[in-house]
Amino acid sequence: MAPKQQPRRQSITVSRGARKRDEDAGTEVGEGTDEWAQSKATVRPPDQLELTDAELKEEFTRILTANNPHAPQNIVRYSFKEGTYKLIGFVNQMAVHYSQVGNLIPKDSDEGRRQHYRDGLMAGSQESAKVIASETELLEEEGPKEAEAEAGSQTDVPAAEAAEKVTEEELITPKQPEERKLTNQFNFSERASQTFNNPLRDRECQMEPPPRANFSATANQWEIYDAYVEELEKQEKTKEKEKTKTPVAKKMGKMAMRKMTSVESQSDDITKVTQAAKIVERMVNQNTYDDIAQDFKYYEDAADEYREQEGTLLPLWKFQNDKAKRLAVTALCWNPKYKDLFAVGHGSYDFVKQSRGMLLFYSMKNPSFPEYIFSSDSGIMCLDIHVDHPYLVVVGHYDGNVAIYNLKKPQSQPAFRSSAKSGKHTDPVWQVKWQKDDMDNNLNFFSVSSDGRIVSWTLVKSELVHTDVIKLKVEGSTKEGQDGLQLHTVGCGTAFDFHKEIDDMFLVGTEEGKIYKCSKSYSSQFLDTYDAHNMAVDAVSWNPYHTKVFMSCSSDWTVKIWDHTIKTPMFIYDLNSAVGDVAWAPYSSTVFAAVTTNGKTHVFDLSINKYEAICNQPVVARKKNKITHVQFNPIHPIIIVGDDRGHVTCLKLSPNLRKMPKEKKGQDVQKGPAVEIAKLDKLLNLNRWAWCNPAHQASSPPKHSASG
């Protein structure tokens, strides 16, 4: 091998020398010097700007954001809590360009470290096992070799030496260990005891895959509305189909009947039980109060045939509830649709001892317990039931709030309630009245309070929006304050009533005893002013038939009947006690009732007697209770009277208190509003003639005063 390497070294040196000579020769000749000596010319595009050094050094900062420019910013979603569509403020700006699911584990993670450690232990245990096995094999091979050597065969010495060399080489370079197959710890066939395992059985079923379809569309308000309408129509069709389904066949086995009864017993609903319990309760009450029910339906006072101009009130039922004890009856109102149902508002007229309030609904079919019960933190001072929606009841509270209760909802809290933010009154609300819907078909009502404000409340979506219609001011009470400011005394409103035909006109009674004729169109001035009473006006009411006549009562013991075109009253009645409330009869234009604080109920019929009441009857004990309110039933000949102890008494009018025109032989008696208007007009004309004729006034007693 030495002679072969020498020429290769020589050849290498020769080549290096030749290369050196060639390089030296190249440098001497000077090839390539022209290329380096030439100047490099820069190539510029024709439209490139030429900037100065200052402009080149100027830095322009640009902020890069991670927002996705293609992400939509006007996504809306439906909020089931608020019932409207809400704009989503947070939009996902991340855009994924590539993603792949793999099973790689980072080396630095805990799981990677544990796996690496486990692999190292396994490899170490295998290597140690191989080393021990190789040592035992060597020892076994050395045993027979030593025996052969002792036999004395000299010829085998080189073979023994060769074997020793082979073993030494094997020890020096060990063979690669073969991978040992691990035992399956879950294979129990390798264990000593074996048990027979039953083969597993698979139960499978085949079915057609459900149909799938991909679609995309834009959803706007109209499409959502149409979808809801279609869903409602489908539900109505399914209900009709369920009703028209044939009943179950009569031929059923005993076992099937038992199953049906067990299922029905499990699916009993509490609503069915309550409905049945109501029916049973009314039946029990009808049996308990059978005598009173017979009196209410069929009994007529026979003594009225011998009394020409007098009538009586027959007590029927007394409605009371333990929860409303020590709370006065502050409001009464009949339901316009269900004529046997009426609402009672409970509060307190004692301003020093103000407490909670209650709203109860009684039915004449069940005098033992109210149909609905609603409680409030503040006393209820007035209420009114909507004509078109008899389940909506608006109430006014002592703390100045107004609220709307929905009888369809069983919860005790009002569906809508005013607050200090929405412009509630600062003094007690004395009267509320529903009005016709506004131009947008929104429900609205009016309220009057002692703070001098007459407020119009409109139910817009789920909020009460208020508008001040008129602020009452006492005329002639303007005072000049500091800096020439004019101070007006606020008039305290106590009652009001809207005209039956002229929607804009209404009357307002005040604590000063004045009655103002107002209009919704004029908020700064009154149409007319009446010096009506010497004390607070407790009630004002338009006649249901005659459009010019209204009635008022006051704590100054008087009831007055007015023609709104004349500033002086047409009739004055002194009842010798503070009058709490008055009400016109729905069946006659000349009949009205009044209640006084001495516990009496007075019923007048102007067509029979213009000077005094045809019925003066004490309804409650004079020393204990005071009557606060009275109301006529729309169709039945009864009135309800409330007192300051929370009791409501139902009274039946005798035939003399509800006389109708007598039918003469051969003549058809005319009935209707025109007859009632003519009857009251005749009385008013007579009274006007008496006032205009001084000679008649001197020769006759005053026809406008009941005490005269």
Side-chain angles (χ1 to χ4, degrees), residues 370-397:
E371 298 290 323
Y372 302 97
I373 299 176
F374 299 94
S375 58
S376 61
D377 297 331
S378 179
I380 294 174
M381 309 309 292
C382 54
L383 62 91
D384 193 25
I385 302 174
H386 201 282
V387 177
D388 299 326
H389 307 286
Y391 54 90
L392 292 179
V393 184
V394 59
V395 300
H397 292 281

Side-chain angles (χ1 to χ4, degrees), residues 5-6 22 26 88 109 112 222 264 370 432 462 501 563 566 570 579 611 617 649 672 674 680:
Q5 293 176 355
Q6 191 172 1
D22 292 340
I88 296 175
S109 63
W222 289 110
E264 287 177 0
V432 288
S462 59
E501 294 182 359
D563 183 346
I566 303 173
M570 306 303 293
V579 185
Y611 305 109
Q617 185 170 325
T649 308
L680 188 55

Side-chain angles (χ1 to χ4, degrees), residues 15-29 31:
S15 62
R16 287 176 181 175
R19 189 186 302 169
K20 188 175 181 182
R21 284 194 301 270
D22 292 340
E23 290 175 357
D24 295 339
T27 53
E28 289 175 1
V29 173
E31 295 177 355

Side-chain angles (χ1 to χ4, degrees), residues 134-208:
S134 62
E135 288 178 355
T136 53
E137 290 175 357
L138 288 172
L139 291 174
E140 290 176 355
E141 290 176 357
E142 287 176 359
K145 288 177 182 178
E146 289 176 358
E148 291 176 358
E150 288 176 357
S153 58
Q154 297 294 328
T155 57
D156 296 336
V157 173
E161 290 177 357
E164 287 178 359
K165 289 180 180 179
V166 171
T167 54
E168 287 177 0
E169 290 178 358
E170 289 179 353
L171 289 173
I172 292 168
T173 60
K175 295 180 180 180
Q176 292 295 329
E178 296 180 358
E179 293 184 0
R180 183 184 177 187
K181 187 177 180 180
L182 298 177
T183 59
N184 186 3
Q185 58 180 341
F186 298 103
N187 189 0
F188 295 98
S189 63
E190 298 178 359
R191 308 294 173 86
S193 61
Q194 296 182 2
T195 57
F196 179 74
N197 296 326
N198 293 323
L200 299 176
R201 296 180 181 180
D202 296 336
R203 181 180 294 176
E204 299 176 354
C205 61
Q206 293 182 355
M207 61 175 291
E208 294 181 359

Side-chain angles (χ1 to χ4, degrees), residues 433-625:
K433 286 280 185 182
W434 285 106
Q435 293 298 297
K436 293 181 180 179
D437 297 348
D438 61 1
M439 300 295 290
D440 298 327
N441 293 326
N442 294 322
L443 299 175
N444 70 326
F445 62 92
F446 277 63
S447 63
V448 63
S449 171
S450 300
D451 60 359
R453 294 167 55 209
I454 298 173
V455 182
S456 173
W457 301 86
T458 305
L459 187 59
V460 181
K461 294 182 179 180
S462 59
E463 294 181 355
L464 281 174
V465 180
H466 80 287
T467 304
D468 288 350
V469 179
I470 288 179
K471 291 185 178 180
L472 301 176
K473 298 176 183 177
V474 179
E475 294 181 354
S477 61
T478 305
K479 297 180 181 180
E480 289 189 2
Q482 295 180 355
D483 300 334
L485 294 175
Q486 291 186 352
L487 303 176
H488 298 279
T489 304
V490 177
C492 301
T494 55
F496 71 118
D497 193 21
F498 288 83
H499 199 273
K500 301 298 185 288
E501 294 182 359
I502 306 172
D503 295 332
D504 291 340
M505 190 167 66
F506 60 98
L507 299 169
V508 182
T510 62
E511 287 186 5
E512 294 78 22
K514 295 183 181 297
I515 296 176
Y516 300 108
K517 183 166 66 173
C518 310
S519 175
K520 298 178 185 177
S521 305
Y522 302 96
S523 60
S524 60
Q525 60 184 356
F526 308 124
L527 299 179
D528 211 341
T529 304
Y530 307 92
D531 292 329
H533 298 277
N534 298 323
M535 295 180 69
V537 179
D538 293 329
V540 175
S541 178
W542 286 99
N543 191 283
Y545 293 98
H546 206 290
T547 58
K548 291 185 178 181
V549 179
F550 69 90
M551 177 173 52
S552 65
C553 70
S554 171
S555 300
D556 64 353
W557 299 7
T558 60
V559 175
K560 296 183 181 181
I561 297 175
W562 305 75
D563 183 346
H564 77 86
T565 59
I566 303 173
K567 286 195 173 185
T568 56
M570 306 303 293
F571 298 95
I572 302 174
Y573 298 99
D574 191 346
L575 302 183
N576 298 322
S577 184
V579 185
D581 193 12
V582 289
W584 289 102
Y587 53 85
S588 176
S589 63
T590 58
V591 178
F592 66 93
V595 291
T596 53
T597 55
N598 59 0
K600 285 186 178 182
T601 301
H602 309 265
V603 181
F604 292 82
D605 191 347
L606 301 180
S607 63
I608 296 175
N609 192 339
K610 296 183 293 184
Y611 305 109
E612 58 186 7
I614 58 174
C615 177
N616 293 319
Q617 185 170 325
V619 178
V620 294
R622 181 179 177 182
K623 293 181 180 179
K624 293 183 180 179
N625 300 0

Side-chain angles (χ1 to χ4, degrees), residues 109-124:
S109 63
D110 295 339
E111 190 174 358
R113 293 193 191 96
R114 287 197 297 269
Q115 188 173 354
H116 183 69
Y117 179 69
R118 187 165 56 251
D119 293 343
L121 289 177
M122 301 255 325

